[in-house]
Amino acid sequence: MWVKGMGKGKVILSRRLQMLADMVTPGSRVADVGCDHGFLSIYLVQAGVACRVLAMDVREGPLQAAREHIRVYGLEAYIETRLSDGLGACKAGEVDSMVCAGMGGRLMERILRQHMEQVRGMREVILQPQSELEEFRCFLRRAGFVTGREDMVAEGGKYYPAMRVSWGGEEKTEGGVQENRRLLDRFGEGLLRDRHPVLGQYLEQHRVALLELQEKLSREKTLRAGMRLEEIREEQQAVEQALLYYV
């Protein structure tokens, strides 16, 4: 469920999309990468957050749906749709803010790498990777991006973390292993520092699920089960360390 109140009234976003909208700096020119049906783009203009939006998607089907929704809400003068793989159809300097959500971390990393010069020139980049979170946060840090804000919501039985980053000015080469660095990349430094309640909820549920899985695997006597059990124990240890932030 993306929105409520279809028609010419005000769009009401889902929790996941509202979290992203709340991270956009008012007055921005926004590139909505992977815009899907265009509801986030519509909300940003309706709410006066964005003065202009480029709603872009790599698929023609969702983009056509976005065009129709934009027409219904009468916002064609403020939102332009473009068929685009990442930022491929966005010219340098056209936007100062980008929102990218609803895709895996590896795909999101590819988009950023392919358009790094454009991204580095933006005021902010708002990201919501749905997988490979540890690897993606590590990529951002090493590429020189600074995370200014992190948030997380629960919706439909799933958990969605998001982050607002900006380029800090230089790529970073790490020498040696920094204590707790992997833990912070896995769960989010800002979320842990702020003891974010939704992350805490996720950690508690994940801890219980891991314990149940350990019990099940310990009864199996196969090599595969044994290898999986070691992975689960490593994940369990990381969750317990993260939960120490909430003590």
Side-chain angles (χ1 to χ4, degrees):
M1 183 69 176
W2 294 281
V3 297
K4 298 178 181 178
M6 282 298 296
K8 293 188 178 180
K10 184 177 180 180
V11 166
I12 301 175
L13 297 176
S14 65
R15 290 182 183 178
R16 180 178 73 87
L17 292 182
Q18 187 64 55
M19 172 176 61
L20 298 174
D22 290 343
M23 286 188 171
V24 179
T25 299
S28 297
R29 297 170 300 156
V30 180
D32 184 2
V33 176
C35 69
D36 204 42
H37 293 73
F39 295 125
L40 176 61
S41 298
I42 292 167
Y43 174 88
L44 290 174
V45 173
Q46 280 190 332
V49 176
C51 57
R52 182 169 182 256
V53 179
L54 295 181
M56 302 187 292
D57 204 286
V58 72
R59 300 167 297 169
E60 180 59 47
L63 200 63
Q64 184 58 43
R67 292 190 188 105
E68 178 60 21
H69 294 147
I70 293 165
R71 185 193 65 78
V72 168
Y73 284 96
L75 298 176
E76 300 98 318
Y78 303 94
I79 305 173
E80 180 182 348
T81 60
R82 294 182 186 176
L83 187 66
S84 178
D85 184 1
L87 286 166
C90 178
K91 299 176 184 177
E94 276 194 292
V95 300
D96 42 50
S97 180
M98 179 180 82
V99 178
C100 189
M103 61 190 75
R106 287 194 182 94
L107 176 55
M108 199 170 287
E109 178 180 341
R110 178 182 68 78
I111 290 173
L112 295 179
R113 285 188 183 278
Q114 287 179 345
H115 308 285
M116 189 64 77
E117 185 174 349
Q118 284 177 264
V119 173
R120 285 175 173 172
M122 294 179 186
R123 174 172 57 194
E124 62 192 15
V125 181
I126 295 153
L127 305 161
Q128 189 186 79
Q130 295 189 337
S131 61
E132 297 96 27
L133 289 168
E134 180 181 338
E135 295 83 357
F136 185 67
R137 287 190 180 104
C138 183
F139 153 70
L140 288 174
R141 182 165 42 78
R142 290 176 175 174
F145 289 97
V146 177
T147 302
R149 177 179 171 186
E150 290 188 80
D151 203 352
M152 189 173 188
V153 298
E155 184 174 62
K158 296 182 180 180
Y159 291 90
Y160 299 94
M163 59 206 74
R164 182 174 65 198
V165 306
S166 58
W167 191 50
E170 62 178 330
E171 295 188 15
K172 299 178 181 178
T173 302
E174 298 175 352
V177 179
Q178 184 176 345
E179 185 179 1
N180 255 14
R181 187 67 260 174
R182 187 177 179 188
L183 185 74
L184 299 177
D185 285 340
R186 180 175 294 189
F187 299 113
E189 183 172 359
L191 298 176
L192 288 170
R193 182 188 62 241
D194 298 338
R195 299 181 179 88
H196 197 289
V198 177
L199 176 61
Q201 177 184 328
Y202 164 77
L203 290 170
E204 288 289 357
Q205 289 187 0
H206 195 36
R207 182 180 69 85
V208 172
L210 289 171
L211 288 172
E212 292 175 350
L213 188 53
Q214 283 186 63
E215 184 178 350
K216 178 182 177 181
L217 289 171
S218 64
R219 294 195 296 267
E220 300 180 18
K221 303 302 179 182
T222 65
L223 178 61
R224 183 176 180 180
M227 294 174 63
R228 180 60 177 148
L229 186 58
E230 286 301 313
E231 294 175 355
I232 295 300
R233 285 172 176 163
E234 188 274 336
E235 178 70 11
Q236 179 74 27
Q237 183 179 15
V239 170
E240 296 291 353
Q241 288 179 327
L243 282 169
L244 291 176
Y245 280 81
Y246 289 83
V247 175

